[in-house]
Amino acid sequence: MKFSEQVRPISYLKAHAPEVVRALSENRQPVVLTVHGEAKAVLQDVGQYEETQETLALLKVLALTTRQVEDGKVRPASEAFAEIRKRLSKR
């Protein structure tokens, strides 16, 4: 995906909003909006946005897990499951 092919002035969006929204749904490529020639915003399909947010959440979990491993904050799975079973049996 080349962002340079998807750059549009805000005035284009104002004049062609239905066309831009339809294109977002069809080709799933974000549109970079400019104001006075400067990039100011990115418009993307809601499905693509949701996928991006899910990906970011997974990457944050991975980074947190990696940091915990590096800090030695780990224990054997058998201990973790034993603790879970103990908590569940108290209910």
Side-chain angles (χ1 to χ4, degrees):
M1 163 181 51
K2 291 184 179 179
F3 281 118
S4 61
E5 296 172 0
Q6 295 297 111
V7 177
R8 301 282 186 265
I10 193 82
S11 58
Y12 182 86
L13 176 64
K14 291 176 184 178
H16 301 95
E19 176 186 324
V20 171
V21 171
R22 188 172 30 259
L24 286 171
S25 295
E26 290 173 1
N27 65 25
R28 297 180 52 88
Q29 292 185 359
V31 175
V32 177
L33 300 174
T34 62
V35 177
H36 302 298
E38 187 177 337
K40 291 291 184 179
V42 177
L43 187 63
Q44 69 182 143
D45 174 72
V46 70
Q48 184 183 23
Y49 175 78
E50 290 171 345
E51 288 176 18
T52 300
Q53 293 304 304
E54 289 172 7
T55 300
L56 286 173
L58 289 171
L59 288 171
K60 287 178 182 179
V61 168
L62 181 60
L64 176 62
T65 303
T66 300
R67 194 173 320 119
Q68 288 175 334
V69 169
E70 289 171 351
D71 292 344
K73 296 179 180 176
V74 295
R75 61 182 172 164
S78 59
E79 287 180 23
F81 284 117
E83 179 65 28
I84 292 169
R85 286 186 193 100
K86 182 178 174 183
R87 288 181 188 175
L88 289 174
S89 68
K90 290 182 180 180
R91 289 185 177 182

